Amino acid sequence: MDPVIIAGAGPVGLALALALARHQVPSVVLDDGAGVSPEGARSTVLRADTTEFLARVGYGRVAADGRGWTSWRTLRRGRELLHLPLPADEVLHLAQHRLQRGLRDAVSATPLIDLVQHSAVTEVEQDADGVSVHSGKTWWRGSHLVGCDGPRSTVRKQLQLRFPGRAAADHYAVATVRVDLPFPGEARLHRDAPQPMESRGTGSREVTARPLPDSVWRLDWRLPVQRPALTPDAVVEQLRATLSGWNGGTVPAYELITTADHVVQQRLATRFQVGRVFLAGDAAHLLGSLGMQNLDEGLRDADNLAWKLALVWHNCATERLLTTYQQERRGSVIARLRAVDQAMPLLQPSTPLLEARRSVLSGSLRRNATLLSDGTLGRGRLGAAPAYPGRTRPSLSPALSPTSPGVLVPDVPVVTTDGASDRLRARLGRGFLVVLVAPGTTVWASEHWLGAGLMPQLTEATEALPLPAELLVTEAYPTAVPHTVLLIRPDGHLVAALHGCRPDDLWTLADRARGGSAELPSPRDRAATAGSRVPADRARA
């Protein structure tokens, strides 16, 4: 079969290519530039699930390239509204040029990926058997095409899809600066910070400081949406006033690396799929208010789409499975945008009447201070990983049980059938996982429990599934009782939790997860299906 074609060599396009390669699917990545990503003001905050996704697809040094935070603090004037100590791996802040470089190095080391520079897409055609993509003087043939080519996506325009939304949902002046601040490792948001009179003309009432590696900080001043961009001199003036306010009235020594004006858009493509062509990342959606990270959502697009394309490419599923990509990913972005619209009035007064009621709003700000951090920290409805329950809309509810269908599974210790210890999420990204909750497993060597209890029957049931799958065992899983069997998708979302080994139910759930009819076939047909899937050793190569 022809390779998958990916238009765009930004972080989402490169991550998708690496994820496909992990599934043994070749790809051609068409880069409209020369691959150079200069140092600049752009940075991104990754949550635990997207950091783990990048690490397992081949960007092994992602954690070393970024900076975790010790805590988050929200202040209003001189008063603390919220202080959250943070685990070391909850968030990772890294410069986008480092992310780009790390992904390109991983791509260069992956034989299944062909990265073609100076190849901007100009035309797209598709038929029942594949897609044809024109770039430069070359026509490329592929099984599918994924447009990861940014907000001005040529692929989206070729599909004649609209990209409606708000052209200016938020506005920030940004500075990247090397400086030693009195709160090392802490990210903070400061509303109505005291500042000299001469710096108050910018209209900024809010500043966020987020540490990067090597004593570098990114500072974002929120501006009125319609305000013109600050001049470089005005940014420096605002920077010095902010640093002085945090440093006891004196401006510490600093090195200004770069400045930028950032206008946040909120847009959503009317469709994420047309036939064999898909949109992902900035080509599909734009969001960023209240600290939300569009790149984080783009990486979730890539993780969601990769395994589905792989099953279809390996003839383990039909094209019907691919329709769930739009249902799950577009649905979750809609829910995220709706959550922003509901939170904004509680946090950011926008009319003279509301400004006159600032005492009331101050109380509202105290009650809802977590909304100012959730989007950045990947918590709540503004930032947490979505759940994909199946036949219902994606859910952003943080109250779902770890055994609820569709949730992102927690990262628990597991043991493989050859006795090796690992983490659950490290096993993701190649095939489905079948996990047995069996207390006491680590006490005995694997040869003692492989032939005991549920294991022989569960091993046989796993091998009979109509798609590649690996059997694992864990001592414990949150809210699950002993002998619970978990079926987990390659992107880490739970299909279902069963009590005991029920081979027919397990087969039916796996078939439904791959877009099948979920009608139980005869034993002979099941054996034939299992024999035609991707061999386990090939899927784990």
Side-chain angles (χ1 to χ4, degrees):
M1 186 179 289
D2 293 319
V4 173
I5 299 175
I6 299 170
V12 174
L14 296 176
L16 175 60
L18 288 166
L20 288 170
R22 188 169 167 88
H23 289 284
Q24 299 299 303
V25 177
S27 62
V28 174
V29 182
L30 302 179
D31 183 3
D32 63 359
V36 178
S37 184
E39 183 172 354
R42 299 185 69 181
S43 66
T44 188
V45 180
L46 301 177
R47 286 55 171 224
D49 64 304
T50 47
T51 300
E52 291 163 357
F53 168 60
L54 291 177
R56 71 173 177 261
V57 299
Y59 182 17
R61 70 170 191 265
V62 59
D65 280 352
R67 171 74 184 265
W69 302 336
T70 58
S71 63
W72 171 280
R73 196 180 303 270
T74 301
L75 305 158
R76 183 172 187 269
R77 297 178 180 168
R79 188 175 193 179
E80 180 181 292
L81 300 180
L82 180 70
H83 180 228
L84 296 172
L86 300 176
D89 59 351
E90 181 163 351
V91 294
L92 184 73
H93 189 201
L94 71 165
Q96 193 138 327
H97 70 276
R98 287 194 176 188
L99 172 61
Q100 193 90 350
R101 187 189 314 131
L103 288 170
R104 283 183 174 271
D105 290 347
V107 164
S108 298
T110 307
L112 285 173
I113 304 174
D114 184 8
L115 177 59
V116 186
Q117 297 178 352
H118 303 293
S119 296
V121 172
T122 55
E123 292 183 62
V124 175
E125 298 177 357
Q126 62 175 310
D127 52 47
D129 300 318
V131 295
S132 297
V133 179
H134 187 255
S135 66
K137 298 180 180 179
T138 305
W139 279 97
W140 302 87
R141 184 66 178 174
S143 63
H144 301 83
L145 167 66
V146 186
C148 304
D149 48 343
R152 296 184 175 90
S153 171
T154 299
V155 174
R156 189 184 64 242
K157 293 173 183 176
Q158 287 284 305
L159 297 175
Q160 299 183 345
L161 295 177
R162 295 186 303 110
F163 200 35
R166 300 171 62 185
D170 239 333
H171 184 197
Y172 294 90
V174 182
T176 305
V177 57
R178 182 173 283 106
V179 64
D180 290 325
L181 292 177
F183 42 90
E186 175 185 285
R188 62 168 50 182
L189 183 148
H190 203 154
R191 176 74 66 86
D192 296 328
Q195 52 185 309
M197 183 67 69
E198 61 270 18
S199 68
R200 296 179 185 177
T202 63
S204 174
R205 290 180 46 197
E206 178 181 297
V207 60
T208 304
R210 295 175 290 181
L212 285 156
D214 306 321
S215 298
V216 175
W217 293 76
R218 171 170 166 165
L219 274 63
D220 294 66
W221 293 272
R222 186 171 182 270
L223 304 172
V225 171
Q226 300 303 326
R227 194 197 192 287
L230 297 186
T231 65
D233 288 344
V235 174
V236 171
E237 182 180 284
Q238 187 73 55
L239 171 64
R240 293 178 63 84
T242 300
L243 295 180
S244 173
W246 287 337
N247 202 54
T250 61
V251 179
Y254 68 90
E255 175 192 351
L256 181 61
I257 297 174
T258 187
T259 64
D261 185 72
H262 177 45
V263 177
V264 176
Q265 299 185 52
Q266 286 188 181
R267 297 186 181 275
L268 183 67
T270 52
R271 296 177 65 182
F272 282 16
Q273 177 189 7
V274 176
R276 290 176 171 266
V277 184
F278 303 83
L279 299 177
D282 291 0
H285 47 73
L286 293 174
L287 45 81
S289 294
L290 297 181
M292 291 192 307
Q293 303 291 307
N294 199 55
L295 177 55
D296 222 40
E297 294 298 331
L299 294 174
R300 287 169 177 157
D301 294 343
D303 201 7
N304 186 285
L305 183 57
W307 69 270
K308 297 173 182 178
L309 282 172
L311 283 183
V312 173
W313 199 90
H314 287 297
N315 295 316
C316 292
T318 67
E319 296 279 336
R320 176 181 173 182
L321 172 63
L322 299 178
T323 63
T324 64
Y325 168 68
Q326 173 170 294
Q327 172 192 336
E328 293 179 346
R329 290 305 305 143
R330 189 172 186 274
S332 64
V333 174
I334 289 174
R336 198 83 73 191
L337 293 173
R338 186 177 295 119
V340 171
D341 289 341
Q342 293 169 349
M344 280 289 203
L346 300 174
L347 300 171
Q348 299 176 351
S350 57
T351 69
L353 176 61
L354 289 176
E355 287 287 355
R357 297 167 56 197
R358 288 179 64 182
S359 61
V360 176
L361 287 163
S362 297
S364 176
L365 184 61
R366 283 193 297 271
R367 290 191 300 271
N368 297 286
T370 55
L371 294 177
L372 289 170
S373 60
D374 281 353
T376 300
L377 300 181
R379 298 181 175 187
R381 297 177 64 231
L382 295 177
Y388 307 126
R391 298 181 181 180
T392 60
R393 294 178 180 177
S395 172
L396 301 180
S397 172
L400 292 176
S401 162
T403 53
S404 297
V407 300
L408 183 68
V409 296
D411 193 23
V412 298
V414 294
V415 180
T416 66
T417 53
D418 60 5
S421 298
D422 207 343
R423 304 293 301 186
L424 176 55
R425 289 189 185 171
R427 311 301 296 184
L428 299 173
R430 290 194 176 102
F432 278 63
L433 300 179
V434 178
V435 182
L436 172 65
V437 180
T441 303
T442 56
V443 177
W444 305 97
S446 60
E447 58 264 23
H448 292 292
W449 49 258
L450 275 175
L454 298 178
M455 285 302 295
Q457 187 182 13
L458 193 55
T459 300
E460 183 179 343
T462 301
E463 293 174 350
L465 292 179
L467 36 72
E470 180 184 19
L471 177 59
L472 303 169
V473 181
T474 184
E475 283 267 354
Y477 182 92
T479 73
V481 300
H483 300 157
T484 296
V485 175
L486 309 167
L487 179 62
I488 302 169
R489 303 185 338 179
D491 59 356
H493 289 268
L494 182 67
V495 177
L498 303 173
H499 185 63
C501 181
R502 291 145 52 185
D504 288 351
D505 290 344
L506 191 64
W507 198 99
T508 300
L509 288 165
D511 188 50
R512 185 180 298 157
R514 66 169 184 153
S517 63
E519 294 179 359
L520 190 64
S522 66
R524 177 180 296 179
D525 290 340
R526 287 170 60 181
T529 303
S532 66
R533 70 184 190 181
V534 184
D537 56 347
R538 180 180 174 189
R540 307 246 155 230

